[in-house]
Amino acid sequence: MREFARLFTALDQTTRTNAKVAALAEYFDRAPEADRLWTVAILSGRRPKRAVTATRLREWAAERAGLPLWLFEESYTIVGDLAETIALILPPPAEEVDLPLSHWIAEVRQLAALDEVAKKPRILAAWEALGGTERFLYNKLLTGGFRMGVSQTLMTRALSKATGISEPDLAHRLMGDWSAEATSWEALILTDDPTARLSRPYPFYLAYQIEGAAEDLGPPDDWFAEWKWDGIRGQLICRGGEHFLWSRGEELMTDRFPELAAARDWLPDGTVMDGEILAFADGHPLPFAALQRRIGRKTVPKKVLAEAPVVLMAYDLLEEGGQDIREIPFGERRARLTRLVEDLPPEAPIRLSPEAAFTDWTGLATQREGSREAGVEGLMLKRRAAPYLSGRRKGDWWKWKVDPLTIDAVMIYAQAGHGRRANLYTDFTFAVWDGPDLVPFTKAYSGLTDAEFNRITAWVRKNTLERFGPVRRVTPRHVFEIAFEGIQASTRHKSGVALRFPRMLRWREDKPVEEANTLADLEALLQQYG
Amino acid sequence: MAKPDLLTVAEAGIYCAAGDFYIDPWRPVDRALITHGHADHARPGHARYLATEAAAPVIRYRLGVAVETIRYGEERRIGSTNVSFHPAGHVPGSAQIRVEHKGEVWVASGDYKVAPDRLSEPFEPVRCDTFITECTFGLPIFRWQAEAEAMAEIDAWWAKNRAEGRFSVLGAYALGKAQRLLAGIDSSQGPILTHGAVENVNDVLRGQGLPLPDTLRVTPEIDLKEHPGALVIATPSAMGGPWMKRFGQASTAFASGWMALRGVRRRRAADRGFVISDHADWAGLGQAITETGATRVIATHGYTSVFRRWLEDQGYEAGVITTQYEGESLDAPEEDVVE
């Protein structure tokens, strides 16, 4: 695993894209085929299942290190990462061995089938054989969580460099329902397998939030606008008499949304559409919370099915009559999509995402103001002449979201973050005033700069009133402007509201704590937008 | 009635009533015994300073004060106590301070490191009844590798950058860490440049006879093209600022015990993090405490509450005193200014 550890370290050490691609390409050139394949699998989110519970790992590591469990836990709080804590806390390996990544993955997969008594000696033996980064990576394989700071796009670029196969071809081959156990480097990367093609989705094209003013995009005639729906991105595939529904995270969601099976009755074979899965009733999208009840469920009870029926709000056509039409300009794809969908009866679970027609940017800006009332996040702008690209790219597609809702809130609890943010207080709980009391209503952990996190961390350390495990109650002194995309009534929260995408917009150091918003202010927002 | 503690924490710092002196006080006092020259231990404004012969020059240079000196191991009568200084292995001249009164012995460790490096006087265990210890890295996740291994990593990093025609900028404390690195790396590889704050300390230490390789101070006049692929030793604070611009696409690194943690390493946004600390690691703390033979151990700065509980588990009478020492802080502003 030494080679893989070297790759991991190289990726971990740099934020420069070129350096990452070079390290990966070199690895793909040199590593054994089985290891390359597993690396591709890991980097595209296909990792072996968790082989043992975190609780057992902690106990065994503490025992092996000859330390009481409480001391292990204290150390874990500081490190913020279980795999790393274990790697650091164990004594150095007795005798390091260098076996390939594929060996350790096979080992971890075998572990999953064993009972705990049988697992323990094998895990202890692995800890004895691996040092430093390799031990850390083995633990990551054991615990199932793995992030290497490499996007699928970067990995594909490196693969392309190493194999000479074009990026789009590779991206397409890597999509869909493959697993490293069932395929090989040869079959997955080097050859195009027609049987896998039936269910294989196209890579999604993702947009960035617009940076400057919309006017800067050029003549309005070049652009198409539509609502930016607040649902789950999905790609619906009808091929060979079957249908498949893929998420943006390349998860097959077909069974989770049985309503879409009816699409087979209305769409011809050889059709692939890009769209948004929305909970939808009476011609309107339901709040995201309704859809949320369906996420994560493998099977859907009748009651939920009736209360939160879904449709695919279609906005692009990628394949027509079995032909990949992604190279055709968007304007033409949209016209073909319209022909396919506009006359479908309401029973069909497909809707056409309506065009937000506009003649000038000011007019469009006015339409955008109505987003929140329409239950959408804002607008999408698409260049009519653009092909359907893959990955997140700037230029042809832009999100133009409405400004978030905001409220000024008081920080009352702080908790240290994980990974890169371990040892820094980054996860905060915020409250609003209810008379003389502060009522917590949301958590947020993003939006500040590293420098601000450093400063607030120093402040938290000095202003802790109470500790509950890793959580510190702090003096209510600092006001933050919290931004969020939506607000819903909630029985699960003390404040009675649940926010969508809360984050810290600004640290309001100018604002005294008494001037933070109140529960009544929140309730007014709920009345207006809930 | 129990005997009063020989050393206590008063408002100005760690105080010995029997000798009427302070150890590393943080507010101005009449008589200050100083363990070493780092800014959180040697502060300005005291009437009298006492430090080891090797520590005194830097303290004089930094604070502009008169410093009385004492040899390692030399016993001196102060008030009704006998006081002596013993090597702490932290930086050149650093000391643990032993205080004896009516047969009872206390040792205040200051900052210390048990494993030897190529510059500081090696740590010497001192027998005592009560040991006041730092515990900056008082968690079992901290384990330092051998000096030679750590230095070899830096050498390899420098060599690679040199081959790519890039500067290697290494962030380290101006006093102690910087010189330890200079003494430990393979200085024959190429030219070594230094930030002014580092070079000032180099001058002082060279003046007292410490062997350091040749270095060149970075000034606005210097032509960097004449020193391609040089190693640059900089203060951590300089590395975040405009001073860095002149080195272009340099590879950057920090040398600190905190670099053992991946999260910290990544947050520092340097290309590399070398795990090199001038403080004791977990095993080092344990070893030092055992070798004192102390039955009572008091933790000062670091993971004090965890460390205290661990000590109690081990059967020690343990305590914590709150001090204003910072240990190895990554984010503390560097105290030195470049003239």
Side-chain angles (χ1 to χ4, degrees):
Chain A
M1 190 142 66
R2 213 155 285 161
E3 195 81 17
F4 184 64
R6 207 170 296 145
L7 169 69
F8 178 84
T9 307
L11 296 174
D12 208 37
Q13 275 169 2
T14 183
T15 49
R16 291 182 302 142
T17 307
N18 288 342
K20 286 188 183 197
V21 171
L24 271 169
E26 197 189 330
Y27 177 83
F28 285 136
D29 226 23
R30 207 172 42 196
E33 285 196 356
D35 282 15
R36 286 183 226 167
L37 182 65
W38 269 109
T39 303
V40 171
I42 289 168
L43 288 175
S44 57
R46 292 167 176 84
R47 40 182 185 248
K49 274 204 228 89
R50 174 181 280 266
V52 57
T53 65
T55 312
R56 289 296 162 270
L57 281 181
R58 296 157 123 97
E59 288 168 7
W60 298 342
E63 185 190 315
R64 177 67 193 83
L67 297 170
L69 196 59
W70 70 263
L71 186 52
F72 181 92
E73 296 297 343
E74 291 283 356
S75 301
Y76 172 52
T77 306
I78 299 300
V79 178
D81 180 291
L82 183 62
E84 187 185 354
T85 309
I86 294 172
L88 290 171
I89 218 162
L90 292 171
E95 194 175 343
E96 285 190 56
V97 296
D98 186 17
L99 294 165
L101 170 68
S102 56
H103 163 87
W104 291 111
I105 288 179
E107 165 74 13
V108 167
R109 294 183 56 230
Q110 285 169 21
L111 280 180
L114 302 178
D115 61 24
E116 281 183 356
V117 180
K119 278 177 191 173
K120 185 177 173 184
R122 291 178 65 159
I123 290 173
L124 290 177
W127 285 340
E128 281 295 320
L130 296 167
T133 309
E134 291 164 69
R135 191 192 267 165
F136 165 71
L137 292 170
Y138 168 77
N139 292 339
K140 281 287 182 198
L141 294 174
L142 276 182
T143 53
F146 222 128
R147 286 178 55 122
M148 289 177 61
V150 175
S151 68
Q152 183 121 1
T153 315
L154 272 196
M155 175 187 71
T156 312
R157 194 181 307 165
L159 263 182
S160 172
K161 240 178 133 172
T163 59
I165 303 167
S166 79
E167 281 183 54
D169 267 2
L170 281 169
H172 201 190
R173 282 174 202 184
L174 291 176
M175 292 292 283
D177 197 13
W178 60 270
S179 69
E181 294 93 330
T183 187
S184 67
W185 179 259
E186 179 73 28
L188 180 76
I189 306 290
L190 303 182
T191 51
D192 202 14
D193 173 12
T195 58
R197 256 188 250 162
L198 198 61
S199 69
R200 188 185 285 163
Y202 294 101
F204 282 81
Y205 183 15
L206 308 171
Y208 278 97
Q209 171 75 11
I210 194 166
E211 284 154 348
E215 292 85 70
D216 300 343
L217 293 179
D221 288 352
D222 290 353
W223 292 87
F224 173 93
E226 63 188 319
W227 290 128
K228 184 183 183 317
W229 302 99
D230 184 16
I232 302 170
R233 185 84 178 267
Q235 191 178 125
L236 179 67
I237 295 174
C238 298
R239 287 184 195 130
E242 292 184 67
H243 83 287
F244 308 92
L245 182 66
W246 290 97
S247 77
R248 189 157 79 73
E250 285 179 62
E251 200 184 349
L252 202 50
M253 308 185 289
T254 316
D255 297 337
R256 242 172 259 186
F257 300 102
E259 296 97 323
L260 293 180
R264 296 298 303 127
D265 303 340
W266 311 100
L267 297 177
D269 220 48
T271 302
V272 177
M273 329 181 137
D274 185 8
E276 196 91 355
I277 297 156
L278 292 175
F280 201 82
D282 304 326
H284 293 287
L286 299 171
F288 189 80
L291 190 60
Q292 216 156 20
R293 298 174 58 201
R294 310 232 356 211
I295 299 172
R297 281 180 191 270
K298 293 277 180 202
T299 57
V300 194
K302 281 217 175 72
K303 184 164 172 290
V304 176
L305 214 47
E307 286 171 3
V310 303
V311 298
L312 182 77
M313 186 62 80
Y315 40 66
D316 212 328
L317 188 64
L318 313 182
E319 185 175 309
E320 187 186 40
Q323 292 299 310
D324 176 355
I325 60 166
R326 291 177 298 160
E327 286 299 320
I328 297 177
F330 173 73
E332 174 59 21
R333 296 201 310 276
R334 167 80 195 184
R336 296 189 190 191
L337 176 72
T338 307
R339 281 202 291 280
L340 208 55
V341 176
E342 68 179 345
D343 294 331
L344 294 180
E347 302 92 272
I350 316 283
R351 300 282 180 280
L352 180 66
S353 172
E355 176 171 6
F358 69 107
T359 49
D360 58 83
W361 292 110
T362 324
L364 190 61
T366 312
Q367 292 195 52
R368 172 173 162 267
E369 294 307 312
S371 296
R372 201 156 265 130
E373 283 70 19
V376 300
E377 295 181 318
L379 291 168
M380 284 297 304
L381 304 175
K382 296 176 178 174
R383 193 188 295 278
R384 291 184 191 270
Y388 188 92
L389 302 174
S390 73
R392 198 178 292 281
R393 286 166 201 259
K394 295 186 180 180
D396 292 336
W397 279 22
W398 295 105
K399 298 189 255 193
W400 194 20
K401 294 213 247 184
V402 280
D403 296 333
L405 298 168
T406 63
I407 198 147
D408 290 334
V410 183
M411 177 177 125
I412 55 170
Y413 298 108
Q415 187 173 355
H418 277 76
R420 199 177 85 86
R421 317 207 296 183
N423 230 354
L424 268 192
Y425 285 89
T426 59
D427 301 7
F428 308 130
T429 302
F430 293 96
V432 283
W433 292 108
D434 182 19
D437 302 323
L438 281 165
V439 185
F441 71 101
T442 192
K443 285 184 168 192
Y445 25 80
S446 64
L448 298 188
T449 62
D450 280 359
E452 285 173 318
F453 277 130
N454 278 331
R455 270 204 303 133
I456 196 78
T457 294
W459 182 86
V460 167
R461 293 215 171 100
K462 292 193 191 108
N463 291 276
T464 299
L465 301 174
E466 244 180 306
R467 293 181 194 212
F468 315 92
V471 179
R472 291 171 174 228
R473 185 165 73 83
V474 298
T475 316
R477 166 105 30 87
H478 289 293
V479 177
F480 290 81
E481 186 175 351
I482 305 297
F484 49 99
E485 298 302 325
I487 182 167
Q488 287 290 311
S490 164
T491 49
R492 288 167 56 196
H493 297 81
K494 201 171 167 186
S495 60
V497 299
L499 306 186
R500 182 138 166 81
F501 291 140
R503 70 265 182 190
M504 292 169 266
L505 196 61
R506 268 184 278 278
W507 184 355
R508 293 296 305 267
E509 294 185 83
D510 55 317
K511 202 154 218 196
V513 74
E514 302 75 33
E515 288 177 23
N517 282 108
T518 63
L519 192 57
D521 298 332
L522 261 187
E523 280 161 359
L525 285 174
L526 181 62
Q527 286 299 320
Q528 196 179 349
Y529 300 112
Chain B
M1 208 180 81
K3 268 194 294 189
D5 285 348
L6 186 54
L7 297 176
T8 55
V9 176
E11 221 158 275
I14 297 176
Y15 179 63
C16 177
D20 191 22
F21 61 81
Y22 286 83
I23 296 175
D24 293 350
W26 43 84
R27 292 204 190 155
V29 301
D30 175 48
R31 184 166 215 168
L33 278 52
I34 306 291
T35 59
H36 65 287
H38 278 149
D40 53 333
H41 291 261
R43 297 180 192 244
H46 311 308
R48 285 181 288 171
Y49 290 80
L50 179 66
T52 65
E53 290 176 327
V58 161
I59 299 170
R60 289 189 191 112
Y61 162 73
R62 288 189 154 185
L63 304 181
V65 295
V67 181
E68 189 186 343
T69 60
I70 184 167
R71 289 191 310 278
Y72 282 124
E74 175 190 341
E75 202 156 280
R76 195 165 295 191
R77 187 78 180 165
I78 303 181
S80 58
T81 65
N82 289 321
V83 172
S84 55
F85 285 51
H86 305 267
H90 176 59
V91 298
S94 67
Q96 318 170 65
I97 297 180
R98 178 184 186 276
V99 183
E100 183 183 357
H101 176 66
K102 293 186 181 163
E104 187 186 2
V105 178
W106 284 51
V107 170
S109 75
D111 292 338
Y112 68 95
K113 170 171 64 63
V114 177
D117 60 52
R118 290 178 202 162
L119 203 60
S120 303
E121 306 79 4
F123 177 88
E124 274 177 22
V126 182
R127 303 288 293 182
C128 59
D129 302 302
T130 301
F131 186 46
I132 301 180
T133 181
E134 65 134 321
C135 57
T136 305
F137 293 106
L139 285 177
I141 47 180
F142 296 109
R143 182 185 295 114
W144 312 148
Q145 53 186 337
E147 184 79 359
E149 272 175 55
M151 294 301 168
E153 280 185 10
I154 298 181
D155 287 339
W157 166 72
W158 183 15
K160 182 168 178 289
N161 297 333
R162 226 159 29 87
E164 293 170 5
R166 299 202 284 167
F167 288 106
S168 305
V169 185
L170 179 56
Y173 272 12
L175 166 58
K177 181 78 61 66
Q179 292 77 26
R180 172 181 170 193
L181 296 173
L182 285 171
I185 54 165
D186 175 9
S187 56
S188 67
Q189 272 202 54
I192 303 174
L193 308 180
T194 50
H195 183 268
V198 173
E199 194 57 25
N200 291 346
V201 177
N202 287 353
D203 288 344
V204 174
L205 294 186
R206 281 194 189 103
Q208 64 194 71
L210 285 169
L212 293 176
D214 290 341
T215 53
L216 186 64
R217 182 189 296 261
V218 174
T219 60
E221 293 77 39
I222 183 173
D223 183 4
L224 289 173
K225 286 196 208 71
E226 287 174 17
H227 312 282
L231 176 69
V232 185
I233 311 270
T235 58
S237 57
M239 287 185 67
W243 186 82
M244 275 298 288
K245 286 214 181 79
R246 68 191 81 201
F247 301 109
Q249 288 292 314
S251 180
T252 54
F254 284 102
S256 163
W258 294 111
M259 293 297 143
L261 300 181
R262 180 168 172 243
V264 179
R265 220 157 48 223
R266 288 162 64 83
R267 203 163 71 235
R268 292 305 295 190
D271 298 324
R272 295 292 300 270
F274 298 110
V275 186
I276 297 179
S277 176
D278 298 331
H279 295 262
D281 64 1
W282 173 256
L285 291 170
Q287 182 194 333
I289 289 166
T290 308
E291 289 179 357
T292 62
T295 52
R296 185 174 170 199
V297 179
I298 299 170
T300 59
H301 52 301
Y303 294 106
T304 47
S305 56
V306 174
F307 201 67
R308 173 203 194 146
R309 184 170 167 194
W310 165 253
L311 289 169
E312 280 170 348
D313 275 10
Q314 305 306 302
Y316 289 99
E317 184 190 348
V320 170
I321 55 174
T322 305
T323 61
Q324 294 186 12
Y325 311 130
E326 286 160 3
E328 183 162 322
S329 167
L330 265 179
D331 300 313
E334 187 69 22
E335 64 275 11
D336 301 86
V337 286
V338 206
E339 60 280 273

